[in-house]
Amino acid sequence: MQVRLENVTKKFPGVTAVNAFSATLPDGELICLLGPSGCGKSTILNMLSGITPVTEGSIYFDEEDVTKLPPEERGIGLVFQNYALYPHMTVMENICFPLEIKRVPRDERVRRATEMAKLVHVDMLLNRKPKELSGGQQQRVAIARALVKEPRLLLLDEPLSNLDARLRLEMREEIRRIQLQTQVTAIFVTHDQEEAMSISDHIVLMRDGVLQQYDEPQTLYDDPANQFVADFLGNPPINNIPGVVKNGVFATEDGKASVTLPMFRNVPDGKKVNLSVRSESFTVAKEATPDTMTCLVTGVFKTGKEEMASFIFGDVPFRAYIDLEEGLKKGQTVSLSLKNRGVFVFDRETGVRY
């Protein structure tokens, strides 16, 4: 099922949680709502579910306007951060419960619940109570319970937050497997960029209630719309080197270092900008030229097949991955070339990309 939001706004007393949000979420995809705490992603999820009413705008499931429909009439499945399983019920009874509410015959309930339990790999635990399950097993049961009623839309609100790091990795892969197998349209809220990048078909990146960019994961990383997008995605974070552009030349604010690149021709003279470079977008040059950065090596840290080195360009520190064969040493002066990919220029005041 395709989901379409048109100029959706949610206002609470004294704050606009979501501001004029518009997006079309394709049928059968897993879409991640990503952003820092308080950016509006859970509010969007709650408006899609019908739990939170829309202040302005419209929500469509395919071509049906569901803006004012109550949750029980929207055909949704919900999975929350806390698993919300009924402690007095077995796994089978928990999964069956939504069907019992709908007065589905017992034999049909058991058949569908058993199928869902197999899908999420808890079919050997059907007679256990929630307290006898691990966190990952409880989350699988919660997903099965949400899917058993065959929802048109599956909504997951930070479902992995209560799990340890290793189990988070396992469960996010499981959620992706389950979504691909069922082909249900799924919307997954998270503040974890690695989680979003690894399992989603598209990412909606939010900030202060406003959509910043909606794209495929790799596109957000390779082609960020603005400074916030570039800063939010990437580990280690992107290097931001502040400076000024004059006559197509970028110079650090202290005037001690400069570099000339074709991209600076699009920047107005005297404009304060950030030269933003991914850590993997540097290479050691054989000689210094106007289009290389002359830098001082301040530290070298081996990470296995490559090394992370710290540098100073002018008076600005930054980090870069460098091939081990370069054999960099602390205190050495080197020239670094910039790759075409992962290098951007942003206006320091507005965050707009040139």
Side-chain angles (χ1 to χ4, degrees):
M1 180 186 71
Q2 182 191 84
V3 176
R4 191 168 83 254
L5 300 96
E6 294 185 354
N7 296 312
V8 171
T9 296
K10 180 59 188 178
K11 296 180 180 179
F12 295 103
V15 64
T16 299
V18 176
N19 191 7
F21 179 90
S22 294
T24 298
L25 313 180
D27 176 33
E29 287 197 356
L30 193 157
I31 312 293
C32 275
L33 298 180
L34 177 66
S37 297
C39 71
K41 53 190 185 293
S42 289
T43 302
I44 290 175
L45 197 82
N46 289 334
M47 288 190 289
L48 287 170
S49 71
I51 293 173
T52 299
V54 173
T55 304
E56 298 171 12
S58 301
I59 298 173
Y60 295 88
F61 289 179
D62 287 332
E63 295 306 314
E64 180 187 3
D65 187 344
V66 301
T67 311
K68 297 182 179 179
L69 276 185
E72 63 272 16
E73 295 181 22
R74 297 195 182 198
I76 57 168
L78 277 167
V79 180
F80 297 102
Q81 180 177 342
N82 58 341
Y83 318 123
L85 300 178
Y86 298 106
H88 62 288
M89 293 183 180
T90 64
V91 167
M92 171 63 83
E93 290 167 340
N94 265 283
I95 298 174
C96 281
F97 188 71
L99 301 180
E100 188 175 344
I101 294 296
K102 289 187 169 185
R103 300 185 183 278
V104 174
R106 175 178 170 74
D107 289 349
E108 176 71 4
R109 294 201 305 264
V110 171
R111 183 189 66 79
R112 285 165 60 176
T114 302
E115 286 180 0
M116 279 301 128
K118 288 179 180 177
L119 178 68
V120 303
H121 299 164
V122 295
D123 49 307
M124 303 300 290
L125 308 171
L126 290 174
N127 293 320
R128 294 191 186 181
K129 298 285 182 66
K131 66 180 181 180
E132 301 175 88
L133 306 178
S134 68
Q137 289 168 338
Q138 290 184 53
Q139 192 58 280
R140 289 171 187 267
V141 175
I143 292 169
R145 185 178 60 186
L147 289 172
V148 75
K149 55 184 179 180
E150 299 173 347
R152 296 191 290 171
L153 179 65
L154 179 64
L155 303 175
L156 304 108
D157 192 1
E158 304 215 35
L160 309 181
S161 297
N162 292 337
L163 306 179
D164 62 46
R166 185 171 181 175
L167 198 50
R168 283 174 70 102
L169 177 62
E170 177 187 325
M171 278 305 302
R172 77 188 189 202
E173 292 173 351
E174 279 297 285
I175 286 173
R176 183 54 166 162
R177 176 188 67 81
I178 293 163
Q179 188 274 328
L180 287 172
Q181 193 164 335
T182 60
Q183 286 296 293
V184 64
T185 303
I187 300 175
F188 185 109
V189 165
T190 181
H191 61 269
D192 186 323
Q193 54 153 317
E194 184 180 334
E195 211 164 78
M197 292 285 288
S198 65
I199 66 172
S200 56
D201 294 296
H202 286 85
I203 292 175
V204 172
L205 183 55
M206 301 285 296
R207 181 191 188 190
D208 296 335
V210 177
L211 174 63
Q212 299 296 305
Q213 190 167 351
Y214 171 39
D215 245 313
E216 294 180 354
Q218 198 61 44
T219 301
L220 265 77
Y221 186 81
D222 292 336
D223 194 17
N226 56 44
Q227 183 80 69
F228 173 78
V229 178
D231 288 345
F232 196 84
L233 296 174
N235 187 23
I238 197 166
N239 296 293
N240 290 317
I241 302 172
V244 180
V245 173
K246 291 183 180 179
N247 300 319
V249 178
F250 172 89
T252 55
E253 292 187 311
D254 60 5
K256 295 179 180 178
S258 64
V259 61
T260 303
L261 296 173
M263 64 176 61
F264 298 135
R265 296 172 191 159
N266 301 323
V267 182
D269 269 5
K271 180 62 71 173
K272 292 183 177 181
V273 299
N274 277 333
L275 173 59
S276 300
V277 188
R278 301 284 183 199
S279 293
E280 67 271 19
S281 296
F282 297 91
T283 56
V284 176
K286 293 182 179 179
E287 58 182 1
T289 62
D291 62 353
T292 63
M293 299 169 59
T294 301
C295 307
L296 175 68
V297 181
T298 58
V300 180
F301 314 94
K302 288 181 172 53
T303 59
K305 64 179 180 179
E306 55 196 353
E307 60 189 20
M308 172 70 77
S310 58
F311 301 87
I312 288 183
F313 179 62
D315 64 352
V316 182
F318 67 93
R319 294 176 293 179
Y321 285 112
I322 301 297
D323 194 301
L324 275 172
E325 294 181 0
E326 298 294 344
L328 296 185
K329 304 294 183 184
K330 183 177 179 180
Q332 180 181 356
T333 298
V334 297
S335 295
L336 299 179
S337 295
L338 300 178
K339 300 178 182 178
N340 292 328
R341 179 177 173 182
V343 182
F344 316 101
V345 180
F346 298 104
D347 188 299
R348 273 164 57 195
E349 291 183 1
T350 65
V352 170
R353 178 177 158 191
Y354 289 105

